């Protein structure tokens, strides 16, 4: 299984476990409440959305990654297109980062 597919599967697992939050308002709320451990932004999100969540992640000291596309993020959690997701479980967030790190080192 390639690493991007593994990362998407882990995000889907987080959603099923109730450890993922999606959609701009919900993600922002999770970050501000201190529940978000990792922010994921779709690579094809608007520049304004990317800037907003990168700034939010920096301010609240939450790691931010750009990964997949809006359709890919949405389909892995069983929803419509999503520009942003937040993972609220540290173990799942670490597993996603590890899978993506393996992908990036092989490129």
């Amino acid at each position: 299984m390639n690493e991007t597919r593994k990362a998407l599967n882990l995000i889907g697992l987080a959603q099923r476990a109730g450890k993922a939050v999606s959609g701009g308002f919900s993600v922002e709320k999770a970050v501000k409440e201190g529940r978000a451990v990792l922010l994921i932004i779709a690579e094809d999100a608007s520049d304004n959305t990317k800037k907003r969540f990168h700034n939010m992640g920096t301010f609240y000291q939450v790691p931010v990654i750009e990964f997949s596309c809006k359709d890919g993020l949405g389909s892995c959690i069983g929803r419509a297109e999503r520009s942003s997701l937040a993972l609220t479980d540290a173990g799942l967030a670490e597993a996603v980062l590890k899978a993506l790190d393996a992908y990036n080192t092989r490129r």
Side-chain angles (χ1 to χ4, degrees), residues 28-46:
E28 185 174 345
K29 184 177 178 188
V31 171
K32 289 181 177 179
E33 290 175 350
R35 294 183 300 126
V37 178
L38 175 66
L39 287 175
I40 303 170
I41 305 168
E43 292 173 341
D44 60 347
S46 71

Side-chain angles (χ1 to χ4, degrees), residues 63-79:
V64 180
I65 61 169
E66 291 185 24
F67 171 64
S68 192
C69 60
K70 292 189 279 190
D71 189 46
L73 288 179
S75 66
C76 80
I77 62 168
R79 303 267 171 98

